[in-house]
Amino acid sequence: MSTAVGPQLRADADALAAQIAEFAAMTEPDSGPGVTRLAYTPLERAAHEHFAEHMRALGLRVWTDAAGNTNAERAGTDPSLPAIATGSHLDSVPQAGRYDGIAGVVAAMEIARLLHDQAIEHRHPLRFVVFAAEEGARFGQACTGSRIAGGLTTAADLNGKRDGNGVSIAEAMRSVGLDPTAVEAARWRPQDWRAFVELHIEQGSVLDTSCVPIGVVDQISGSTRFALRFQGRASHTGGTPMHLRADALAAAAQVVSAAEALAKDSRHHGTRITVGRLDVSPGSITTIPGECHAYVDVRDTDSDRQRETAAELVDIAHEIGRARGVAVSARPMADASPVVLPSWVRNAIVHACHERGLDYRVMPSGASHDTQMISGVVPAGMVFVPSLNHGVSHSPQELTEAADLAVGVDVLVTALLALDGMEHESPGELGETRCMTC
Ligand code: GLV
Ligand code: MN
Ligand code: MN
């Protein structure tokens, strides 16, 4: 056995495209354009089952943990060693594209096929993981499956967060046959894991515009999410003079503009603030909005700046509300810290790019990822592949070429096998370790 087989393995772009198309067909009926496959729904479970069937057919041991994460393990030659893993997620935002999360899952499926077909051996067990409920679109909180694995979310936390219909995460889990009270059993133990590397689409345009095929992620942004409630006074749009109004939507709109200005000012370089949803009540063209809820997402790679900016925006909202006679209250929804990924895993990916003769760029991730949540338990890294169409994501316009994805899979499998070949006790810089491929 040698990890030098890595470069000989070539992902099949057509097979990747075919799997992407299979998953894209699994969408809620009548949900509009793109793919809608929300967290902890029967459709998400069906997508996990499609992955599981593929892995079982390749002879892998497959199981679903209490969080709904699906795991497939290919045995290593030394069962005493901790696992090396890759994976991503299969749930989506409403009206999503085909690639966010799915790219990393089909990469895992293709790697399992390549290793099987070419009878490649590895020392460590190789695990392929599909995390449940990565998207925060349904419950506000992102990465529920990986947060549970990483010990960041407990059974008690699953009752508090609810979707737009008032369904809690725990209730949604029960509705798809999972037991939310048992999630402690899904928590990963550091001693069971050697390294984890996730492939994901970039969800930005840096790689495409710079014609670089691979991104090697060094840090992942955190996010603080909260709901602002504006309580004004509903009244007749014709009868109520402008100076006597307490318009909840006008106050919210002013906060949206202030949020944009705050994120753009020089103190907040790199901060991203988005109000992605406004619920206006009563929602009638002839009634002044009496109540409005705004959902805010603050992202940053600097954890202090992330939290300080969120607090500053809440203060600004209160000020705007006071000036307009609109009562403002803030409700925290979710909070995840940014992470810096370890350099020795990153260097294994860089090393894989060198072996494949590929240019790469070390870059941060503005989006959240499952990798972020398990990185406290297992040393982790990420491979980005280019997003086309100006880098749009969370949109049906999301696009990654199958050939570009195949290049990413080649790098990923090479990195996984390089990690497998590295000496167990040498988590230093790759160049300083006894790496079997160096
Ligand atoms: C995950 O897609 C995120 O919202 O960053
Ligand atoms: Mn994703
Ligand atoms: Mn996403």
Side-chain angles (χ1 to χ4, degrees):
M1 181 208 60
S2 158
T3 55
V5 293
Q8 292 159 21
L9 297 170
R10 290 261 172 234
D12 178 344
D14 291 340
L16 292 164
Q19 289 295 356
I20 293 278
E22 292 249 6
F23 284 116
M26 302 170 89
T27 181
E28 291 293 346
D30 306 320
S31 55
V35 178
T36 297
R37 193 167 54 238
L38 301 186
Y40 291 134
T41 56
L43 212 46
E44 185 199 29
R45 300 317 312 163
H48 277 234
E49 185 49 31
H50 177 76
F51 164 84
E53 273 170 20
H54 176 93
M55 293 307 201
R56 277 191 216 104
L58 296 171
L60 275 67
R61 182 169 73 89
V62 177
W63 70 99
T64 300
D65 69 20
N69 303 319
T70 302
N71 302 266
E73 182 173 286
R74 188 168 195 268
T77 53
D78 184 348
S80 71
L81 292 178
I84 290 173
T86 186
S88 195
H89 63 96
L90 286 171
D91 63 319
S92 81
V93 299
Q95 303 188 355
R98 299 171 155 218
Y99 302 91
D100 174 1
I102 294 73
V105 174
V106 302
M109 293 162 75
E110 177 64 358
I111 288 173
R113 186 192 68 76
L114 285 170
L115 297 177
H116 172 268
D117 288 0
Q118 301 196 28
I120 305 293
E121 290 189 335
H122 36 84
R123 297 188 306 147
H124 296 251
L126 271 190
R127 284 197 191 154
F128 305 95
V129 185
V130 183
F131 293 104
E134 191 270 355
E135 296 290 358
R138 181 170 180 193
F139 298 105
Q141 174 183 275
C143 302
T144 298
S146 52
R147 286 182 66 91
I148 291 169
L152 301 171
T153 285
T154 64
D157 301 325
L158 301 172
N159 296 309
K161 299 200 168 16
R162 294 180 180 274
D163 70 8
N165 295 320
V167 177
S168 69
I169 299 180
E171 288 161 354
M173 289 177 78
R174 270 190 214 98
S175 75
V176 292
L178 299 167
D179 177 1
T181 64
V183 294
E184 182 61 28
R187 188 165 176 170
W188 289 9
R189 302 183 315 162
Q191 62 268 35
D192 295 337
W193 302 88
R194 167 66 168 146
F196 180 93
V197 183
E198 177 176 7
L199 179 147
H200 204 281
I201 57 167
E202 182 200 335
Q203 304 179 287
S205 57
V206 172
L207 294 176
D208 184 33
T209 53
S210 53
C211 296
V212 173
I214 296 292
V216 182
V217 177
D218 58 352
Q219 49 183 330
I220 304 177
S221 294
S223 85
T224 298
R225 297 175 188 170
F226 53 95
L228 290 172
R229 177 172 184 259
F230 298 85
Q231 185 66 59
R233 199 169 47 252
S235 184
H236 197 289
T237 53
T240 317
M242 297 308 286
H243 69 285
L244 292 179
R245 296 178 176 214
D247 185 328
L249 177 58
Q254 199 176 338
V255 172
V256 173
S257 294
E260 197 180 35
L262 183 60
K264 282 179 168 172
D265 81 17
S266 54
R267 284 173 307 141
H268 293 90
H269 176 71
T271 310
R272 289 168 187 169
I273 311 181
T274 310
V275 180
R277 179 174 156 190
L278 285 176
D279 292 342
V280 183
S281 166
S284 158
I285 193 171
T286 55
T287 306
I288 297 162
E291 187 170 339
C292 182
H293 295 253
Y295 297 85
V296 188
D297 183 10
V298 179
R299 306 219 190 193
D300 211 310
T301 49
D302 175 327
S303 59
D304 289 343
R305 198 171 52 190
Q306 172 189 326
R307 274 70 183 236
E308 284 162 15
T309 304
E312 192 173 343
L313 185 59
V314 171
D315 288 346
I316 290 171
H318 278 115
E319 231 170 78
I320 288 171
R322 263 193 302 277
R324 289 177 165 274
V326 170
V328 176
S329 57
R331 175 174 61 85
M333 293 179 68
D335 187 79
S337 295
V339 299
V340 176
L341 299 173
S343 59
W344 69 273
V345 178
R346 189 160 73 240
N347 288 346
I349 302 168
V350 165
H351 182 78
C353 292
H354 287 306
E355 277 203 40
R356 294 281 181 171
L358 293 166
D359 199 5
Y360 64 90
R361 183 176 181 132
V362 175
M363 60 193 298
S365 170
S368 305
H369 297 290
D370 293 311
T371 295
Q372 184 173 2
M373 307 306 165
I374 46 97
S375 66
V377 178
V378 49
M382 288 195 78
V383 174
F384 273 175
V385 292
S387 293
L388 308 188
N389 276 346
H390 310 286
V392 289
S393 184
H394 286 186
S395 153
Q397 307 310 318
E398 200 175 71
L399 179 64
T400 290
E401 295 288 0
D404 291 345
L405 177 52
V407 168
V409 175
D410 291 345
V411 169
L412 178 60
V413 70
T414 306
L416 294 172
L417 292 174
L419 289 163
D420 181 61
M422 283 169 71
E423 286 299 323
H424 185 54
E425 71 278 11
S426 306
E429 298 291 317
L430 192 81
E432 295 161 16
T433 61
R434 284 166 288 160
C435 167
M436 286 168 63
T437 61
C438 303

